[in-house]
Amino acid sequence: MASVPRHRLRQATDLAGLWDFALLGDVDPDEIDPAKIRFNDVMAVPGCFDATPAYAGKRGLAAYRTRAAVIDTTLHRLVLDGVHHWGRVFVEGHPLCDHVGGFTRFHAEFRPQRAGEVEIVVLVDNRLNYQRCPLHLEYFDWYHYGGIARGCELHRLGDAWIDDVYVRTDSYADRRLSLSVRYGCAGEAAGREVEFEIVCAGRAVRRAVRLESAGGTSEATLELPGAALWSPQSPALHDLRVRLAGDDWRRRIGIRQVRVQGRDILLNGQPLRLLGVNRHEAHPQFGHTQPLGLMLADLQQVKAMGGNFIRGSHYPQDERFLDLCDEMGLCVWSESTGWQQKAEHLNDEHYMRAALLNVREMVAAARNHPSVILWGVLNEGYAHEPACHEGYRRLIEQIRAMDSTRPVTYAAWQPLKTKCLDLVDIFSINCYPGWYDGSMDRVEPFLEELHAHLRAIGWEKPVILSEIGAAAVYGFRDMNEDKWSEQYQAKLLEKVIRSLFIEHDRFCGLSIWQFADMRTSPYCAMNRARGFNNKGLVDEYRRPKQAYQVVRSLFAKLAEKPA
Ligand code: ADA
């Protein structure tokens, strides 16, 4: 599942491959006995079943089954990185857990009754049902694919294991890291004294830890004098190895600090200009599943265009994508799942429970990645309505409770009326002058109005233009150069980039909407040519449009202009 090995001592079995499959249809999961399912097909895991021709467009409850070897009856953990978008897991016919929401990792533990093999069945529901899964709604402007879209692993935990490691840079100048290592312990091991070790960049912390029955947390500080820093220009990574008793945890970490100072975002004390795109995890043949090669190729295209920034719209990204961004020096805005949530959602505990879980799972998986420089919540939620303020506050508070080292923002849909700026460090603005709002001659006046508004409200913190753009149908070039043509999209983006960063220099970041075309929901299809959101700089098969070249030449000019 990982793009870099996360364990060497722990037995972690990758369960990728062909699983038995059956689409059960419009049925109630509570009526399903896993032992009575007639599996009549096979399906790739990871994969989205409704991205395959045989199940294209199908919605309903699906069932997946596989078997995995276990060498003993000690505690095991099943880890699933993304089940879309509601799942129920059975092991040996017994229900283990339910999970609400795609795009985030969850796990559940069990003890096999005997060594040999265990049968794993996962029910997967891709229907858009607010009661079962309030995070994914049919009016969103993206196609909700269904399946075990990301990886699945079986871990043998034994009687003492590392549950989580949280690494943060306390001082980039002194190369000082703080680490919190949370461990779990099976009853029989409580009270035992075990070896605990942290090794990174030639430095080590070694101590004995007495295991507490309910598990515990061990704190440590590491100074790594002379260790290379992480930055977009020079994304140095260091192997971090943590060992507790017979278990281990490994990641590649970066030493860097992100701070907001005045109108700037500082990375290791240097102002950062974020130039990039919004990227959905979508592909016509893979759905939300993102083969490593696709993610690598997409990031190569963003870098070739001169981009250093990706807004993971509009949900938590695959952790392997973050591994690649760490490696390639791309900065990431990591965002919880959302699309124009309203007061009725943010004041509904059923929704907020799922949204808070989504935020917790996002931060837990992403907070050790140096590429993640910014957290976002609720794309275009109704932050301009006072009734939504408390919901925004709770979600942002949840993020800050788990990670206080990164700035937080939200993408405002009504920037001139938004009411939650008191909660955030950065003002992020979604706007479409020249597309939904007027034509080409609307772009500059609108941006002037934005600048004037920022002055009027005395906003002296960073501003990111988090969405702006125009649709262009790939290959449609027309003498009128009007909307939907490649020329119009290119011309609009040129106006935007020149206004933001050449005529003015008020904004510290831009994420163009969007990197690639992607299928949208039937709900949005009527005003989306082909049933796709066509505002990509490349089409859904990553074929560059005229705008890609125009943005590339402008970003190249900006690269010579200090932030
Ligand atoms: C909104 C939304 C995007 C997309 C975009 C568009 O800003 O955040 O997900 O729907 O509009 O293409 O209209």
Side-chain angles (χ1 to χ4, degrees), residues 141 314 339 379-380 430 432 436 467 513 528 533 535:
D141 184 11
H314 298 292
W339 202 86
N379 172 60
E380 296 198 340
N430 288 3
Y432 286 88
Y436 299 117
E467 284 187 36
W513 185 269
R528 295 274 186 279
N533 185 308
K535 298 186 184 71

Side-chain angles (χ1 to χ4, degrees), residues 189 191-195 208-211:
R192 194 188 308 163
E193 196 164 84
V194 298
E195 268 190 18
V209 168
R210 184 173 300 286
L211 297 175

Side-chain angles (χ1 to χ4, degrees), residues 139-142 278 280 311 313-314 335 338-340 379-380 411-413 429-432 435-436 466-471 513-514 518 520 524 527-528 533-535:
Y139 67 80
F140 290 5
D141 184 11
W142 77 76
N278 286 269
H280 263 290
R311 177 181 174 220
S313 52
H314 298 292
E335 173 162 281
W339 202 86
Q340 297 188 4
N379 172 60
E380 296 198 340
W413 171 38
I429 295 167
N430 288 3
C431 55
Y432 286 88
W435 186 255
Y436 299 117
S466 39
E467 284 187 36
I468 194 164
W513 185 269
Q514 65 173 325
M518 44 92 191
T520 188
C524 295
N527 59 0
R528 295 274 186 279
N533 185 308
N534 299 284
K535 298 186 184 71

Side-chain angles (χ1 to χ4, degrees), residues 39-90:
F39 291 92
N40 55 8
D41 205 344
V42 291
M43 194 51 62
V45 169
C48 289
F49 65 85
D50 53 4
T52 67
Y55 299 94
K58 298 279 191 301
R59 292 214 176 269
L61 188 69
Y64 287 73
R65 179 181 66 188
T66 192
R67 289 180 179 77
V70 288
I71 58 170
D72 59 21
T73 60
T74 186
L75 196 66
H76 283 70
R77 171 176 287 168
L78 191 64
V79 182
L80 295 108
D81 265 14
V83 173
H84 288 264
H85 28 267
W86 176 89
R88 173 168 290 164
V89 180
F90 296 85

Side-chain angles (χ1 to χ4, degrees), residues 468-480:
I468 194 164
V473 175
Y474 175 77
F476 178 54
R477 299 190 181 186
D478 181 59
M479 290 311 287
N480 288 42

Side-chain angles (χ1 to χ4, degrees), residues 46-48 64 82-84 145-151 288-290 318 320:
C48 289
Y64 287 73
V83 173
H84 288 264
Y145 294 95
I148 303 179
R150 294 182 186 166
H288 292 318
T289 295
Q290 299 287 294
D318 190 319
R320 299 169 308 143

